[in-house]
Amino acid sequence: MPVLVLPVWFCLCGDGVLPPFKAFAASGTMAAPQSQRFCPANQISTRSFVLSLDFVPIMTPMTQDAKAARTRSQPDRLRPIAGRHNQRLKELRLAFRRAELTPRDECAIEGVKLLEEALRSGQHLESVFFSESARPLAEKLLPQINARTETLILPNVLFNSIVPSESPQGVAALLKLPVFSAAQLFDCASNGPLVVASGLQDPGNLGTILRSAEAFGAAGIFLTEGTVSPYNWKALRASAGSIFRLPFLRIPSAELIPMFRTRGIRMMATSSP
């Protein structure tokens, strides 16, 4: 029985291995067209499979009806919440009000730009909240949100009473940011300068520093006493997503300065009048 040794392109998905192509068997050949190889490069591998010419599986593309059904099912993920006493709503409200993490160590964010930056940065969203008027936005974002993420939809009045901005965009979320130690930040010092923010009280300024530090290739940032919380919604918004990518640590300067001296790291300071 003749056999073929074929390179097979495949994508590792959450439910197993899903071949992202249609296999063609004609005249003893089998090929995967370039247009069908749609997986990102870092998720694609090749292996050689030995296939019998008597049995070559044919993978057909998703039909239009299946695609339509999948699209229609996305809004079904939205769980309606009408009362303000829901536990997740309480945690979201408290996180915004206190500008700190929830008891589950979650950070509260608001706005389309910040949510998209969180997704682009690979952050895992624990819960996403949409206002009723933001249903079209929800339909656009749901395919990008992990299926295990809790997605809720609220009446406009209830949503607007929870988020802090004066012009809500109809979306907010709770997510867990990575936690870094001082040792981890110092290990990254060879990649760029380390920034220290001390006594910085304006949240907008802190967000701008985070954004600038990432743009100039800083390895991380230390936040010492007197500095506004990095979880303040204004700081998060001003960071434009840099908070998701730049390692940071809140630490007293009395602990931090000896660490710099022990490692022989030169310190330079500046201050505003």
Side-chain angles (χ1 to χ4, degrees):
M1 178 184 299
V3 296
L4 283 179
V5 179
L6 304 172
V8 178
W9 293 74
F10 64 88
C11 174
L12 295 179
C13 302
D15 296 327
V17 178
L18 175 65
F21 59 85
K22 178 179 179 181
F24 295 88
S27 303
T29 63
M30 174 178 174
Q34 287 289 343
S35 62
Q36 299 275 344
R37 298 173 184 173
F38 56 81
C39 290
N42 63 353
Q43 297 181 16
I44 296 177
S45 301
T46 59
R47 290 183 182 175
S48 292
F49 283 71
V50 178
L51 300 178
S52 166
L53 289 182
D54 289 349
F55 177 74
V56 178
I58 305 299
M59 304 296 295
T60 58
M62 182 182 292
T63 66
Q64 292 296 325
D65 290 343
K67 289 181 180 178
R70 182 177 178 180
T71 301
R72 287 194 300 268
S73 67
Q74 290 293 347
D76 295 342
R77 292 175 54 189
L78 296 173
R79 181 161 65 91
I81 298 294
R84 62 175 57 248
H85 298 296
N86 176 273
Q87 183 60 32
R88 295 303 276 164
L89 294 187
K90 291 180 179 179
E91 293 172 356
L92 181 68
R93 184 185 296 109
L94 201 60
F96 277 131
R97 184 179 301 169
R98 294 183 176 178
E100 290 294 346
L101 299 178
T102 69
R104 304 186 193 187
D105 294 327
E106 298 164 324
C107 171
I109 63 173
E110 181 206 355
V112 178
K113 172 68 174 177
L114 210 51
L115 185 75
E116 291 178 337
E117 286 296 321
L119 291 170
R120 191 175 296 118
S121 303
Q123 301 296 323
H124 176 68
L125 307 177
E126 301 291 334
S127 300
V128 182
F129 307 81
F130 294 98
S131 66
E132 186 64 44
S133 60
R135 276 188 179 272
L137 175 64
E139 293 178 9
K140 174 186 174 183
L141 292 176
L142 281 174
Q144 306 174 47
I145 298 173
N146 192 296
R148 292 187 295 272
T149 297
E150 182 182 37
T151 50
L152 311 171
I153 190 160
L154 288 62
N156 292 338
V157 173
L158 179 57
F159 182 91
N160 295 345
S161 70
I162 294 175
V163 298
S165 64
E166 295 181 359
S167 302
Q169 298 178 7
V171 61
L174 289 170
L175 72 159
K176 289 185 178 180
L177 294 175
V179 177
F180 298 93
S181 66
Q184 287 175 309
L185 264 69
F186 281 116
D187 287 343
C188 298
S190 59
N191 299 329
L194 292 169
V195 179
V196 180
S198 179
L200 189 62
Q201 298 181 1
D202 185 276
N205 288 347
L206 176 59
T208 300
I209 289 175
L210 288 166
R211 188 173 71 248
S212 301
E214 183 192 20
F216 285 98
I221 181 168
F222 292 101
L223 309 174
T224 66
E225 62 273 6
T227 297
V228 66
S229 169
Y231 309 116
N232 182 290
W233 71 274
K234 291 183 179 179
L236 291 165
R237 183 180 62 181
S239 78
S242 293
I243 189 73
F244 304 133
R245 298 178 290 271
L246 186 67
F248 68 91
L249 175 67
R250 302 167 83 178
I251 184 173
S253 56
E255 295 180 20
L256 179 61
I257 292 176
M259 293 180 183
F260 276 106
R261 290 174 176 166
T262 300
R263 291 168 172 78
I265 298 177
R266 183 175 58 171
M267 295 177 283
M268 295 179 288
T270 182
S271 64
S272 59

